[in-house]
Amino acid sequence: MKQNFFKYFVVGSFCALQTYAQNAPSVSGVFPNLAMVANHSPRTEAGTGGLMPWANRLWIITYVAHMTPTGSGTGLYEINDKMELKKRAESIVGTYANRFIHASTHQLIIGPYVVDTLGNVRLIEGVKKYRLAATMAHLTEPTKKVYFLSMEGEFFETDVTTLETKQLFNLMKELDEPVGSKPHFKSGFTKHGRVVVTNNSYNEKDYNGSWAAGRLAEWDGTTWKILEKTAFTEVWSAGSFGQPMIATGWDKASVLMNVYFPSTKEWKRYRLPKGSRTFDETSCTEWMRIREVETERALMDCHGLFYEIGYHTYGNQLWAIKPISSHLRIIPDFCSWRGMLVLGGNQATPMRFNSGIDNNPLAGQPQAGLWFGKTDDLWSFGKLQGEGGVWLDSEIKKGQPSDPFFTFNFNNKSLNLWHNSILSVKFDLEADIVGDGNYRRFQTIIVNPKESKSIDLPESFNPKWVRLVSDKDCVGTAYFTFK
């Protein structure tokens, strides 16, 4: 009975998707007729900057690398219920990855465009020349205005009716960015009386400590405050239940996940494994997002791993987080549309800037495709694996616990430890089994001077979070691998 039900469910879903596409050919959820292809000259990228269901269509914005001189043929697209792709006549070439619903005026803001419920499009002249990273609710006039954040750090205010725009800040100055660093602001969100923004600037200078160019920062309408000085890519908040605000980034040791709890008005920092280190650079992260994909449930794409995230917080802890699968896709945005999960893409990226030199001559015509499937299909993607540490050649303080590190549902767990002390160092491995913030000592590990110790953890050891505590001040590393 169960086998027959599963058989008909899968076959029925496949047939429905084929009918949806009006017999257009598809390969593993990808419809080639829906690819958004840019021109040959100039050529750089045609990535999917934003996806949004609106006005009975799916709206898509594509981007080039660095505004009009570096690419051609991108723009604003729509897909109808017959799976037909149409490029809008209002399209302009640019670098846009923002999307936002302004509920008070019933308008979609995607890129520099404003779309009403009938599909009529207006262009916001005041922001069209900037690389738009995010659109956010206004702190004091949310029914009339929004904020825009550009990748270079320009911060704007726009009236959503008149489209009048003015610049409020240059965040490179407000956030004390290092002189000579490359700005790469990626996301912004307004919640709990604050605007939170991210900058994922990161290169070898950040890795070796010469400077710290990345930022996680917040603004209360009066003062900007720097929360973290390392690369952050995404910030998002739930609109119901516990309403946590979640920001994701990384440093050389691991992925960082900072969570704001409105009940205590405080940020907590957690660490997650990296699914792949190929994302460890400013330009290699490309808009890893957190989005609602099923009602009151969210999906987090972070450093080569998918997670499911819940909205509820109990005891000032984020209880509902679970890894799904690993992947190497570039997914600048994703959404739910007509019962399907839709993943954007960035499949071919020639790199030719103002110098005229093509840095990727083996890449062909810029293009981006969409993937259509079910949310549950993500569990059939890559095997869960990753790596990361709570310390990596870091200063360790006696008796001070490390940040919590996420280990739940990963297999073949191992822990690698070393330090520079001339004395033996005792490390307590503590575990939070259920995710309620209560840690218990699981194992004590003694590492002798000049020794590197690797510990294979038992398969039955599957807590939500772990942390380590040292009995001496030292410089050392505690690094996990899951395979």
Side-chain angles (χ1 to χ4, degrees):
M1 180 72 177
K2 291 182 179 179
Q3 290 179 341
N4 289 337
F5 174 81
F6 179 76
K7 174 183 176 181
Y8 292 126
F9 177 81
V10 172
V11 172
S13 297
F14 177 78
C15 292
L17 194 57
Q18 290 288 349
T19 303
Y20 222 18
Q22 297 294 294
N23 298 317
S26 69
V27 180
S28 301
V30 177
F31 294 84
N33 65 302
L34 300 181
M36 292 157 287
V37 181
N39 295 335
H40 287 287
S41 179
R43 67 188 200 114
T44 53
E45 294 181 75
T48 306
L51 299 169
M52 183 65 87
W54 188 251
N56 299 317
R57 284 155 275 188
L58 178 64
W59 297 80
I60 310 105
I61 190 77
T62 56
Y63 61 84
V64 296
H66 207 285
M67 301 308 295
T68 304
T70 67
S72 56
T74 59
L76 177 67
Y77 297 81
E78 60 178 62
I79 296 175
N80 63 19
D81 58 357
K82 297 179 181 179
M83 298 289 273
E84 297 169 333
L85 180 71
K86 174 184 176 182
K87 185 176 182 180
R88 295 290 302 216
E90 299 89 348
S91 294
I92 61 173
V93 174
T95 308
Y96 310 123
N98 58 303
R99 46 100 140 170
F100 181 83
I101 296 297
H102 191 260
S104 299
T105 58
H106 307 293
Q107 296 183 104
L108 161 65
I109 299 172
I110 184 167
Y113 309 99
V114 178
V115 186
D116 68 17
T117 55
L118 299 178
N120 300 307
V121 177
R122 295 186 295 160
L123 178 66
I124 306 174
E125 294 287 340
V127 297
K128 71 177 185 180
K129 295 181 180 179
Y130 298 89
R131 298 202 297 169
L132 301 179
T135 304
M136 300 147 284
H138 199 277
L139 283 173
T140 58
E141 299 180 85
T143 62
K144 298 179 180 179
K145 297 178 180 179
V146 295
Y147 299 122
F148 282 94
L149 172 67
S150 84
M151 292 178 67
E152 276 64 46
E154 296 96 348
F155 191 90
F156 301 93
E157 175 186 80
T158 297
D159 185 303
V160 296
T161 300
T162 66
L163 306 189
E164 180 181 352
T165 300
K166 66 178 179 179
Q167 183 173 338
L168 301 180
F169 300 106
N170 179 343
L171 295 187
M172 290 296 287
K173 295 180 180 179
E174 296 291 334
L175 303 183
D176 192 29
E177 293 283 4
V179 176
S181 64
K182 175 185 176 180
H184 216 237
F185 287 84
K186 301 296 283 186
S187 184
F189 206 94
T190 302
K191 194 72 174 180
H192 308 306
R194 67 201 64 219
V195 173
V196 180
V197 299
T198 68
N199 176 19
N200 79 327
S201 297
Y202 191 91
N203 59 24
E204 191 170 0
K205 288 186 176 182
D206 297 272
Y207 179 87
N208 64 29
S210 298
W211 67 22
R215 292 289 185 271
L216 176 66
E218 65 180 17
W219 179 55
D220 61 4
T222 302
T223 305
W224 283 98
K225 178 183 178 181
I226 299 172
L227 302 172
E228 293 273 8
K229 287 188 175 183
T230 190
F232 271 78
T233 301
E234 172 67 319
V235 58
W236 167 91
S237 182
S240 56
F241 302 113
Q243 301 186 52
M245 181 175 280
I246 301 173
T248 56
W250 80 94
D251 60 15
K252 69 178 182 180
S254 63
V255 166
L256 297 174
M257 184 179 74
N258 287 30
V259 182
Y260 179 82
F261 294 90
S263 58
T264 59
K265 298 182 179 180
E266 66 174 349
W267 288 91
K268 292 183 180 180
R269 182 167 69 181
Y270 303 86
R271 290 183 177 271
L272 310 176
K274 297 179 180 181
S276 170
R277 281 192 171 272
T278 60
F279 294 93
D280 277 14
E281 204 277 336
T282 298
S283 299
C284 298
T285 48
E286 291 313 293
W287 320 100
M288 295 183 288
R289 298 302 195 190
I290 304 172
R291 302 292 194 214
E292 181 180 8
V293 293
E294 308 290 347
T295 302
E296 294 163 351
R297 288 164 177 82
L299 182 69
M300 180 170 77
D301 175 27
C302 188
H303 240 79
L305 289 165
F306 279 117
Y307 297 82
E308 60 177 44
I309 295 283
Y311 289 14
H312 46 283
T313 57
Y314 298 136
N316 298 317
Q317 299 293 330
L318 183 69
W319 276 60
I321 174 172
K322 183 179 180 181
I324 297 172
S325 57
S326 63
H327 69 92
L328 279 176
R329 292 178 61 94
I330 298 298
I331 307 172
D333 203 4
F334 53 88
C335 70
S336 292
W337 182 62
R338 292 186 172 269
M340 298 179 287
L341 175 66
V342 186
L343 306 183
N346 189 347
Q347 273 75 33
T349 306
M351 297 304 291
R352 179 179 177 178
F353 293 97
N354 295 332
S355 65
I357 299 174
D358 196 326
N359 294 319
N360 197 358
L362 297 182
Q365 192 170 3
Q367 56 192 275
L370 302 173
W371 177 90
F372 295 83
K374 305 186 304 295
T375 303
D376 288 351
D377 291 339
L378 296 180
W379 272 258
S380 65
F381 279 29
K383 178 182 181 293
L384 282 175
Q385 56 187 354
E387 60 180 290
V390 294
W391 300 310
L392 183 55
D393 296 325
S394 307
E395 290 189 9
I396 302 171
K397 297 298 182 182
K398 174 184 176 180
Q400 182 174 315
S402 70
D403 293 329
F405 191 84
F406 188 74
T407 61
F408 183 66
N409 264 22
F410 288 93
N411 296 318
N412 301 316
K413 303 179 181 73
S414 63
L415 168 62
N416 300 275
L417 291 162
W418 64 89
H419 62 80
N420 72 345
S421 177
I422 61 173
L423 303 173
S424 295
V425 178
K426 183 188 298 183
F427 294 96
D428 284 340
L429 176 62
E430 300 180 344
D432 175 2
I433 301 299
V434 298
D436 60 0
N438 291 314
Y439 287 85
R440 299 291 184 269
R441 183 169 60 86
F442 173 76
Q443 185 176 355
T444 297
I445 306 162
I446 298 174
V447 183
N448 296 320
K450 298 182 180 180
E451 181 184 19
S452 176
K453 183 164 286 190
S454 180
I455 306 296
D456 289 330
L457 299 169
E459 285 298 313
S460 60
F461 181 67
N462 194 32
K464 284 290 179 68
W465 304 95
V466 298
R467 68 185 188 186
L468 285 104
V469 183
S470 168
D471 73 339
K472 292 181 178 65
D473 291 344
C474 61
V475 172
T477 291
Y479 199 82
F480 294 89
T481 57
F482 310 133
K483 57 186 178 179

